[in-house]
Amino acid sequence: MKDLSDEAEAELNASYRGMISRLSTPDTVQIPYAKIRETLRLAQRSWVAYREADCQALSLIHEEGHGRDMAYLGCMTKRARARTIELGAFWQE
């Protein structure tokens, strides 16, 4: 499970870095890239905090030990994959 979690985290980080890179172009009259980039950074930081708290809460439902660890890792992986998809769809919305 840890390998799947690490893979999901790597994909999420690559997707996020790609978005930030894409938004690193100079502002145009139509698109304020700097403002979008900063807003996305704030959103991502908030999302990271939300995911951590959400997965911690979910893991507390399970008994101590391996079950709790698996619930936490599963949640973190699932949320990372969902966020990667969200970031990929950013320009389509």
Side-chain angles (χ1 to χ4, degrees):
M1 185 66 155
K2 183 69 172 148
D3 289 342
L4 292 175
S5 179
D6 290 344
E7 181 181 307
E9 288 298 314
E11 290 173 4
L12 172 61
N13 290 331
S15 181
Y16 175 71
R17 282 192 308 272
M19 286 299 301
I20 293 299
S21 177
R22 187 171 182 185
L23 292 167
S24 293
T25 59
D27 289 352
T28 67
V29 174
Q30 297 87 6
I31 303 174
Y33 287 102
K35 185 172 179 96
I36 296 168
R37 187 175 58 247
E38 184 56 31
T39 303
L40 180 62
R41 279 190 180 126
L42 291 172
Q44 188 68 8
R45 287 182 188 138
S46 296
W47 179 85
V48 166
Y50 158 78
R51 179 181 70 154
E52 177 66 27
D54 192 47
C55 292
Q56 284 287 343
L58 179 69
S59 74
L60 291 173
I61 294 170
H62 300 277
E63 293 182 28
E64 291 289 328
H66 188 67
R68 181 173 283 179
D69 294 343
M70 292 298 287
Y72 177 78
L73 283 175
C75 178
M76 294 290 282
T77 301
K78 182 178 177 182
R79 300 289 189 274
R81 288 185 174 141
R83 183 64 176 160
T84 299
I85 291 168
E86 289 173 2
L87 289 171
F90 188 80
W91 289 104
Q92 284 75 35
E93 295 185 13

